[in-house]
Amino acid sequence: MAFDFKKEYKEFYMPKNSPGIVMVPSMNYIAVRGTGDPNQEDGEYKQAIGLLYGIAFTIKMSRKGDHRIEGYFDYVVPPLEGFWYMEGMNGIDYAHKENFHWISVIRLPDFVSEDDLRWAVNEATQKKKLDFSKVEFLTVEEGLCVQCMHIGPYDDEPATVAMMHEFMEKKGYELDISDKRLHHEIYLSDARKVAPDKLKTVIRHPIRKTDN
């Protein structure tokens, strides 16, 4: 049976729909950076998702070709995730999506190296006749965070975020968003197939102990 990150690491992918504190270890991703409204038809964000999945499945299916990845085991491609920020803001303004900066990512199994990613970019470029040069290898160590499962439309996330922040403050923590520690979302639903009120999204914010 293929290894499924969501099932094996439920504390990171399947939290309750009430806030909790979690320590997130270092993880490797394939990533594409960009700006702008993610809802724009044929926009930069949707193109980035296509690039990510093209590389994700090239790596997953490498076992059927000539490229051998040391330590490879069969796995389910993890869900799409995103790190989001806006210049000059310590948070997100959902009313002005055109100002978004984002890093769209898909988690990599630990056996995938930067050399393997370079191979996958070259392989996908040749086979699909597309430019995959924007795809990069990214390591993120989020550390201490507050997170919660948000159920419903993306535009309703502020209510869940407010609940998360109230929870962390009661527990003696404060928000620690910076240019290195960002608003993080994990998309467990396909928005093209799931009704907005049933979308499941993990929301995660970096925190630190309050100085007092």
Side-chain angles (χ1 to χ4, degrees), residues 108-206:
L108 287 171
D110 289 343
F111 58 72
V112 179
S113 69
E114 292 188 58
D115 286 341
D116 294 319
L117 176 59
R118 282 190 283 270
W119 165 82
V121 167
N122 290 333
E123 181 79 359
T125 298
Q126 292 176 17
K127 288 192 172 181
K128 300 179 183 296
K129 308 302 181 186
L130 292 173
D131 181 7
F132 286 88
S133 61
K134 287 184 177 181
V135 182
E136 63 181 272
F137 188 97
L138 179 67
T139 300
V140 179
E141 185 169 0
E142 289 186 271
L144 193 64
C145 294
V146 60
Q147 67 179 13
C148 186
M149 180 74 78
H150 170 75
I151 300 176
Y154 302 128
D155 285 347
D156 289 351
E157 288 182 6
T160 298
V161 168
M163 183 171 61
M164 290 165 53
H165 290 180
E166 181 180 2
F167 172 84
M168 73 179 184
E169 289 169 2
K170 287 182 178 179
K171 294 293 184 180
Y173 298 95
E174 61 186 5
L175 194 64
D176 193 28
I177 286 180
S178 67
D179 59 349
K180 296 289 190 288
R181 307 186 76 203
L182 303 173
H183 173 102
H184 185 184
E185 299 182 1
I186 304 174
Y187 308 105
L188 301 177
S189 307
D190 186 338
R192 300 168 300 177
K193 301 176 182 178
V194 176
D197 63 331
K198 295 182 178 179
L199 291 172
K200 291 184 177 181
T201 307
V202 180
I203 303 176
R204 187 181 294 158
H205 278 178

Side-chain angles (χ1 to χ4, degrees), residues 59 69-75 108-113 116:
I59 293 171
I69 300 178
E70 184 176 355
Y72 181 97
F73 55 79
D74 192 22
Y75 63 97
L108 287 171
D110 289 343
F111 58 72
V112 179
S113 69
D116 294 319

Side-chain angles (χ1 to χ4, degrees), residues 43-77:
E44 191 175 357
Y45 181 76
K46 293 184 178 179
Q47 292 175 20
I49 293 174
L51 295 177
L52 286 176
Y53 278 107
I55 296 301
F57 280 98
T58 297
I59 293 171
K60 173 179 167 60
M61 302 308 293
S62 64
R63 71 187 192 279
K64 294 190 174 182
D66 297 330
H67 185 79
R68 292 289 179 264
I69 300 178
E70 184 176 355
Y72 181 97
F73 55 79
D74 192 22
Y75 63 97
V76 177
V77 171

